[in-house]
Amino acid sequence: MPLKKFGDNDIFHNTLQTFPRNQFDIYQGSVYYQNESRISGAFTGSVPCVPTGFVSLYELNVDRNSGSTGLIYPLLYKDSSLTTFKSVSTSSWNAWNAATYGSVFTGSYPLSATISREYLTQSIPTAHPLWPFTSSLRITALRSAMSSYTYWSPYYQFSSSSPSYGDWATKTPINLISIPSIFYGSSINKENGSVSLKYYVSGSLIGELRDSKRNGELIQVGPSGSVGTGSVAGIILYNEGFILLTGSWGLEPLLPTRNYKLAAPTTSSWLMYGAGMNDNSGSNIPFVNYRMEFEGVNYIETITMLAHAEKGEINHSNNPTYLEFDPSVTTASQFQINSSMFRETPRTIKNVVKSPYVDPTASFEKTTYISKVGIYDKEENLIGIATVSKPVKKTLSRDFTFKLKVDLQ
C-alpha cells in the first residue's frame, strides 16, 4: 500500500490531567491496595509476582514462578558502546569483568513499590558548625522540601522558636509515612482536600485526619467531639509524597494500652498510625486497622493523528482474496519468464458489489476493506498499528478519516 505523509493539521499534541484515586488498608501487618486481596495463580501464590499492597513496574512475570522456566530479567551485553543500566556508574562498568567483553550484565524483575512507615525516635548528632544541634538524618534530608512549603503554613518551618510549632530537628518521635510517586504521579492533589487518614479499633473510627484547609496541615476532624478534634497532628509534602505525624494525644476513650511492638505497650495515637505498614516491626495488633486515601495529579502526554483515505485512493489490495480465483492458473503458469521478459498472467479483480438479482450481477466497482492503519517513522520503519473493530468498506467514491490517539506513558 502507498505511504501517505501526515500534514501540518493532522497531528495534535495534548496533555491530559488526571486524578488517580488511591486507597490503602492496613490490617495485621499487611497492606491492601484498592481493596485487592492476594490472587493465587496456576503457577504462583501471587499472580502479579509481588506481595499484596505492592504494584509491579511493567507488570512482568505475571503468574510465573522461578522454577524451570525462571523469571524474566533485564540484560545487557558488555561491548564497546558502554551501554549499561542507569544505576551502574562508568567506573563500575569498566571494573566489571574488565577482560571479558561479550559477557552478560543482568538485573532482576519484578521492580515493585508500596507505601511504608518509619517510627523515628533516635536523634543523630551532627558535627557541622552550621548545624550544631542533634537531628534525625531522615528528617534533615527533608529540610529543603519543607522550607518550600512555609508560605502555606508555619508548621512547615524546620526550626521555630514558637512552642506551637517546635523544631523538626529535635522533635521525637515522628511517624514518617512514605508514598512512592508511582501511586500519585506528579504530586498528591491538595485542591480538594483529598488526603484522609482513618484510624479504627474493633471497626469503630477513633480518629480521622484531613488536609481540610488545603494547606498541608493534617487536622483531626473526627469523630466529632473527640480529644484532639481541630488539632494539627502532622503535615504532608504533596510533591515529595511524605506524611509526617507528631500528634501524641490518646485517641481511645479511657486510654487503654496496646502492643505496638515498642519497648512497652502504649496508647493509640497518631504516632502509632500505620503500625505494620512495611515497617519491619512485625506488628500484628489485634482489632486495629488503618485506611489511607488520597488523589494524585498525573499528566499524560497524548498525540492525536488524523489518517486520511480520500476519494479515489486506497482502492487496491495485495490480499490474495482481492483477485478472482482461477483454477486454470497454476503456480507454474502464473508467471511467463524468458531471457527478455517477466510477466505475470493477468488476473481479474473480484467483484464484491452485491446485486439484488441473481442475474445480471451488479456493476463492477473497485472495493477494499480497511482493517488496519500502519504508522511509520521517517525511515519507513513500522512503529505502530491501529486496528479497527470492524473492517471499513472503501470504494472509489468514499473518503474516510481515521482518528488515531496514542498516550505517551
Coordinates of all heavy atoms in Angstrom, one line a residue, residues 238-271:
Y238 N 3.3 17.4 49.5 CA 2.5 17.0 48.4 C 3.3 16.5 47.2 O 3.0 15.5 46.6 CB 1.6 18.1 47.9 CG 0.5 18.5 48.8 CD1 0.7 19.7 49.6 CD2 -0.6 17.8 49.0 CE1 -0.3 20.1 50.5 CE2 -1.6 18.2 49.9 CZ -1.5 19.4 50.6 OH -2.4 19.7 51.5
N239 N 4.4 17.2 46.9 CA 5.2 16.9 45.7 C 6.2 15.7 46.0 O 6.5 15.0 45.0 CB 6.0 18.1 45.3 CG 5.1 19.3 44.8 OD1 4.1 19.1 44.3 ND2 5.6 20.5 45.1
E240 N 6.6 15.6 47.2 CA 7.5 14.5 47.5 C 6.9 13.2 48.0 O 7.6 12.2 48.1 CB 8.5 15.1 48.6 CG 9.4 16.2 48.1 CD 8.7 17.5 48.0 OE1 7.6 17.7 48.6 OE2 9.2 18.4 47.3
G241 N 5.7 13.3 48.5 CA 5.0 12.0 48.9 C 5.3 11.6 50.3 O 5.4 10.4 50.5
F242 N 5.5 12.5 51.2 CA 5.8 12.2 52.6 C 4.7 12.8 53.5 O 4.2 13.9 53.3 CB 7.2 12.7 53.0 CG 8.3 12.0 52.4 CD1 9.0 12.6 51.3 CD2 8.7 10.8 52.8 CE1 10.1 12.0 50.7 CE2 9.8 10.1 52.2 CZ 10.5 10.7 51.2
I243 N 4.4 12.0 54.5 CA 3.5 12.4 55.6 C 4.3 12.3 56.9 O 4.8 11.3 57.2 CB 2.2 11.6 55.7 CG1 1.4 11.8 54.4 CG2 1.4 11.9 56.9 CD1 0.2 10.9 54.3
L244 N 4.3 13.4 57.7 CA 5.0 13.5 59.0 C 3.9 13.7 60.1 O 3.3 14.7 60.1 CB 6.0 14.6 59.0 CG 7.3 14.4 58.1 CD1 6.9 14.9 56.7 CD2 8.4 15.2 58.7
L245 N 3.8 12.7 61.0 CA 2.8 12.8 62.0 C 3.5 12.9 63.4 O 4.4 12.2 63.7 CB 1.9 11.5 62.0 CG 1.1 11.2 60.8 CD1 0.3 9.9 60.9 CD2 0.2 12.4 60.4
T246 N 3.0 13.9 64.2 CA 3.5 14.1 65.5 C 2.5 14.1 66.6 O 2.8 14.3 67.8 CB 4.3 15.5 65.5 OG1 3.4 16.5 65.1 CG2 5.5 15.4 64.6
G247 N 1.2 14.0 66.2 CA 0.1 14.0 67.2 C 0.2 12.9 68.2 O 0.1 11.7 67.9
S248 N 0.5 13.2 69.5 CA 0.7 12.2 70.5 C -0.4 12.0 71.5 O -0.3 11.2 72.4 CB 2.0 12.6 71.3 OG 1.8 13.9 71.9
W249 N -1.5 12.7 71.3 CA -2.6 12.6 72.3 C -3.4 11.2 72.0 O -3.4 10.7 70.9 CB -3.6 13.7 72.1 CG -4.2 13.9 70.7 CD1 -5.2 13.3 70.2 CD2 -3.6 14.8 69.7 NE1 -5.4 13.8 68.9 CE2 -4.4 14.7 68.6 CE3 -2.6 15.7 69.7 CZ2 -4.2 15.4 67.4 CZ3 -2.3 16.4 68.6 CH2 -3.1 16.3 67.4
G250 N -3.9 10.7 73.1 CA -4.6 9.4 73.1 C -5.9 9.5 72.3 O -6.6 10.5 72.5
L251 N -6.2 8.6 71.5 CA -7.4 8.6 70.6 C -8.5 7.8 71.2 O -9.7 8.0 70.9 CB -7.1 8.1 69.2 CG -6.1 9.0 68.4 CD1 -5.7 8.3 67.1 CD2 -6.6 10.4 68.2
E252 N -8.2 6.8 72.0 CA -9.3 5.9 72.6 C -9.7 6.4 73.9 O -8.9 6.9 74.7 CB -8.7 4.5 72.7 CG -8.4 3.8 71.4 CD -8.0 2.3 71.7 OE1 -8.9 1.5 71.9 OE2 -6.8 2.0 71.6
P253 N -11.0 6.3 74.2 CA -11.5 6.7 75.5 C -10.9 5.8 76.5 O -10.6 4.6 76.3 CB -13.0 6.5 75.4 CG -13.3 6.5 73.9 CD -12.1 6.0 73.2
L254 N -10.7 6.3 77.7 CA -10.1 5.6 78.9 C -8.6 5.2 78.6 O -8.0 4.6 79.5 CB -10.9 4.3 79.2 CG -12.4 4.5 79.5 CD1 -13.0 3.2 79.8 CD2 -12.6 5.5 80.6
L255 N -8.1 5.5 77.4 CA -6.7 5.4 77.1 C -6.1 4.0 77.4 O -5.1 3.9 78.2 CB -5.9 6.5 77.8 CG -6.2 7.9 77.6 CD1 -5.4 8.9 78.4 CD2 -6.1 8.2 76.1
P256 N -6.6 3.0 76.8 CA -6.0 1.6 77.0 C -4.7 1.5 76.3 O -4.5 2.2 75.3 CB -7.1 0.7 76.4 CG -7.8 1.5 75.4 CD -7.8 2.9 75.9
T257 N -3.8 0.7 76.7 CA -2.5 0.5 76.1 C -2.6 -0.8 75.2 O -3.3 -1.7 75.5 CB -1.4 0.3 77.1 OG1 -1.7 -0.8 77.9 CG2 -1.3 1.6 77.9
R258 N -1.9 -0.7 74.1 CA -1.8 -1.8 73.1 C -0.3 -2.1 72.8 O 0.5 -1.2 72.9 CB -2.6 -1.5 71.9 CG -4.1 -1.3 72.2 CD -4.9 -1.1 70.9 NE -6.3 -0.8 71.2 CZ -7.2 -1.8 71.5 NH1 -6.8 -3.1 71.4 NH2 -8.5 -1.5 71.7
N259 N -0.1 -3.3 72.3 CA 1.2 -3.7 72.0 C 1.6 -3.4 70.5 O 1.3 -4.1 69.6 CB 1.4 -5.3 72.2 CG 2.8 -5.7 71.9 OD1 3.7 -4.9 71.8 ND2 3.0 -7.0 71.7
Y260 N 2.2 -2.2 70.4 CA 2.6 -1.7 69.0 C 4.0 -2.1 68.7 O 4.7 -1.4 67.9 CB 2.4 -0.2 69.0 CG 0.9 0.2 68.8 CD1 0.2 0.6 69.9 CD2 0.3 0.2 67.6 CE1 -1.1 1.0 69.8 CE2 -1.0 0.6 67.4 CZ -1.7 1.0 68.5 OH -3.1 1.4 68.4
K261 N 4.5 -3.1 69.4 CA 5.9 -3.6 69.2 C 7.0 -2.6 69.5 O 8.0 -2.6 69.0 CB 6.1 -4.1 67.7 CG 5.1 -5.1 67.2 CD 5.3 -6.4 68.0 CE 4.3 -7.5 67.5 NZ 4.4 -8.8 68.2
L262 N 6.6 -1.8 70.5 CA 7.6 -0.9 71.1 C 8.2 -1.5 72.3 O 7.9 -2.7 72.6 CB 7.0 0.5 71.3 CG 6.5 1.2 70.1 CD1 5.8 2.6 70.5 CD2 7.5 1.5 69.1
A263 N 9.0 -0.7 73.1 CA 9.6 -1.3 74.3 C 8.6 -1.7 75.3 O 8.7 -2.6 76.1 CB 10.6 -0.3 74.9
A264 N 7.4 -1.0 75.3 CA 6.3 -1.3 76.2 C 5.0 -0.9 75.5 O 5.0 -0.1 74.6 CB 6.5 -0.5 77.5
P265 N 3.9 -1.5 75.9 CA 2.6 -1.2 75.4 C 2.3 0.3 75.5 O 2.8 0.9 76.5 CB 1.6 -2.0 76.2 CG 2.5 -3.2 76.6 CD 3.8 -2.6 76.9
T266 N 1.7 0.9 74.6 CA 1.4 2.3 74.6 C 0.0 2.6 74.1 O -0.7 1.7 73.6 CB 2.4 3.1 73.7 OG1 2.2 4.5 73.9 CG2 2.3 2.7 72.3
T267 N -0.5 3.8 74.3 CA -1.8 4.2 73.9 C -1.9 4.4 72.4 O -0.8 4.7 71.8 CB -2.3 5.5 74.6 OG1 -1.3 6.5 74.4 CG2 -2.3 5.3 76.1
S268 N -3.0 4.3 71.8 CA -3.2 4.6 70.4 C -3.2 6.1 70.1 O -4.0 6.8 70.7 CB -4.6 4.0 69.9 OG -4.6 2.6 70.1
S269 N -2.3 6.5 69.3 CA -2.2 7.9 68.9 C -1.7 8.0 67.4 O -1.5 6.9 66.8 CB -1.2 8.6 69.8 OG 0.2 8.2 69.6
W270 N -1.6 9.2 66.9 CA -1.2 9.3 65.5 C 0.3 8.9 65.3 O 0.7 8.6 64.2 CB -1.4 10.7 65.0 CG -2.9 11.0 64.9 CD1 -3.6 11.9 65.7 CD2 -3.8 10.5 64.0 NE1 -4.9 11.9 65.4 CE2 -5.1 11.0 64.3 CE3 -3.8 9.5 63.0 CZ2 -6.3 10.7 63.7 CZ3 -4.9 9.1 62.4 CH2 -6.1 9.7 62.7
L271 N 1.0 8.8 66.4 CA 2.4 8.3 66.3 C 2.4 6.8 66.0 O 3.3 6.2 65.5 CB 3.1 8.5 67.6 CG 3.4 10.0 67.9 CD1 4.0 10.1 69.3 CD2 4.4 10.6 66.9

